[in-house]
Amino acid sequence: MSAEVAAKKPKQIKRNKLSLERKQSLYGYIFVLPIIIGLAFIYIPVIVQSFIYSISEIKVDAKGFHTIFIGLENYYEALFVEADFLRTVVESTLGLLVQIPIILIFAFFMANVLNQNFKGRTVARVIFFIPVVISTGIIAQFENMSSMLDIYSSAEKMDVGSSSGMANVFNYAQLRQLVMVVLQNEDLAAIVLGAVDGLYSVITSSGVQMLVFLSGLQSISDAMYEAAKVEGATSWEVFWKISFPMISPLILVNLIYTVIDMFLKADNAAVSLINGALENASEYALASAFSWIYLLVVLVFVGIVVLLVRKLIIYQD
């Protein structure tokens, strides 16, 4: 009888006890379950329908939509007939090549600053994350309206004056002239002024990355920093030997997030062009072809970024 109990006992333990790795995997699946349900029942059907539209001609009548298969004609028209689309995609992509590194550098720098011990640190963290909140949802729609941001982005940037004819408090043309005189190089001045113009976009686009970097820095054990100080390491050596290698996997995560976020922003010229085409029901097929071509561009860009950056990533075992 004791032999039978001993034989059954290991089976019971194996059946009822989950390993830590299995528990963590189960928690992960539960956490992403809403996304999986949304993909299965909402996004995937829409994606399939969009692809069907892109290879079809859409006829609209009193009964609704009717699709007629035409192959790759819409893709040919998007690439070789609609000259504005390909040009807009190329120009917007080249513009992002400058913005993406600036956003990551700014987020990484501010995460290191906010990780230090100083009075009001919590308030400072909230202040730097507020732009992420106000730049989402319905509040973001105000950016497309006539507002102070639009005035700043127009030709009359920062030209502030009064109706009584008083001199302007600040004139953007004067700033441009000052930068030109100091730098003595038109191309370099254009880069500096472009960075100033994009400051608002950089701040509003770096909040999530800043939070990810900050969480990574906080996960590093204080004992590692204390040991480095005892060994006489400088702050510069601590940064490159401890901080940077420990959070290097998060650099790749933030880079991929930033690329996708910037490519799909509503104010992106290519996205605006696609949305404009979608306003006309007769152009749904062409707009769908625009979307799939743009998706391919984004995926290729992400793939290139991963191939270039993954060699710099150090994974801790």
Side-chain angles (χ1 to χ4, degrees):
M1 191 69 176
S2 60
E4 294 179 358
V5 173
K8 292 180 179 179
K9 189 173 181 181
K11 293 182 179 180
Q12 185 177 3
I13 295 175
K14 185 177 181 180
R15 184 174 61 251
N16 295 333
K17 189 174 181 180
L18 293 175
S19 64
L20 178 61
E21 184 178 355
R22 286 182 176 272
K23 287 183 179 180
Q24 291 177 342
S25 300
L26 180 61
Y27 294 151
Y29 282 115
I30 294 174
F31 182 77
V32 300
L33 184 60
I35 300 178
I36 296 174
I37 295 174
L39 285 173
F41 293 99
I42 299 176
Y43 291 104
I44 291 180
V46 173
I47 291 172
V48 173
Q49 189 66 46
S50 172
F51 180 75
I52 294 173
Y53 284 163
S54 70
I55 57 176
S56 305
E57 180 182 358
I58 300 177
K59 297 291 185 180
V60 184
D61 54 25
K63 296 181 180 180
F65 290 91
H66 300 281
T67 58
I68 302 173
F69 177 76
I70 59 173
L72 301 178
E73 290 185 16
N74 289 322
Y75 291 91
Y76 179 85
E77 182 178 355
L79 293 173
F80 303 106
V81 179
E82 295 287 339
D84 291 340
F85 172 70
L86 194 58
R87 176 182 56 81
T88 303
V89 171
V90 173
E91 290 178 354
S92 62
T93 302
L94 293 177
L96 295 179
L97 291 177
V98 178
Q99 294 185 35
I100 291 173
I102 294 176
I103 290 172
L104 287 178
I105 293 172
F106 178 79
F108 187 65
F109 172 76
M110 292 309 306
N112 279 275
V113 172
L114 297 176
N115 192 46
Q116 306 300 318
N117 291 321
F118 59 89
K119 293 182 179 180
R121 182 175 62 175
T122 303
V123 176
R125 291 176 179 177
V126 172
I127 291 174
F128 276 97
F129 196 72
I130 283 177
V132 180
V133 178
I134 66 175
S135 64
T136 58
I138 192 171
I139 299 178
Q141 301 302 319
F142 287 102
E143 295 183 4
N144 298 325
M145 301 172 61
S146 180
S147 61
M148 290 304 297
L149 178 61
D150 296 320
I151 295 173
Y152 174 77
S153 300
S154 66
E156 302 297 328
K157 297 176 184 178
M158 298 297 289
D159 291 343
V160 182
S162 65
S163 58
S164 60
M166 293 178 62
N168 291 335
V169 177
F170 187 84
N171 188 286
Y172 184 80
Q174 295 175 356
L175 173 62
R176 182 180 182 85
Q177 184 178 4
L178 177 62
V179 174
M180 287 290 296
V181 171
V182 172
L183 297 180
Q184 297 294 322
N185 188 301
E186 186 175 353
D187 294 334
L188 184 58
I191 294 175
V192 172
L193 292 171
V196 173
D197 290 346
L199 184 60
Y200 174 81
S201 177
V202 169
I203 294 176
T204 57
S205 301
S206 60
V208 174
Q209 298 89 322
M210 194 186 308
L211 191 64
V212 172
F213 280 137
L214 184 60
S215 64
L217 291 171
Q218 291 180 340
S219 66
I220 302 175
S221 175
D222 293 336
M224 299 182 67
Y225 292 114
E226 293 175 359
K229 291 180 180 179
V230 170
E231 294 294 330
T234 63
S235 299
W236 185 254
E237 291 172 337
V238 169
F239 173 78
W240 286 109
K241 299 297 184 180
I242 298 178
S243 300
F244 186 81
M246 292 293 290
I247 67 169
S248 60
L250 298 179
I251 296 176
L252 181 59
V253 173
N254 276 336
L255 183 57
I256 295 174
Y257 172 84
T258 306
V259 168
I260 296 175
D261 180 55
M262 296 301 295
F263 266 98
L264 301 182
K265 272 187 173 294
D267 58 354
N268 187 292
V271 175
S272 299
L273 188 148
I274 296 172
N275 290 335
L278 288 172
E279 293 178 357
N280 189 349
S282 62
E283 295 185 0
Y284 277 176
L286 182 60
S288 298
F290 286 166
S291 301
W292 281 95
I293 294 172
Y294 191 62
L295 174 63
L296 181 61
V297 172
V298 175
L299 293 178
V300 170
F301 197 94
V302 171
I304 293 174
V305 165
V306 172
L307 290 176
L308 293 177
V309 177
R310 68 176 182 177
K311 295 182 179 180
L312 303 176
I313 307 303
I314 302 174
Y315 293 98
Q316 305 294 327
D317 297 330

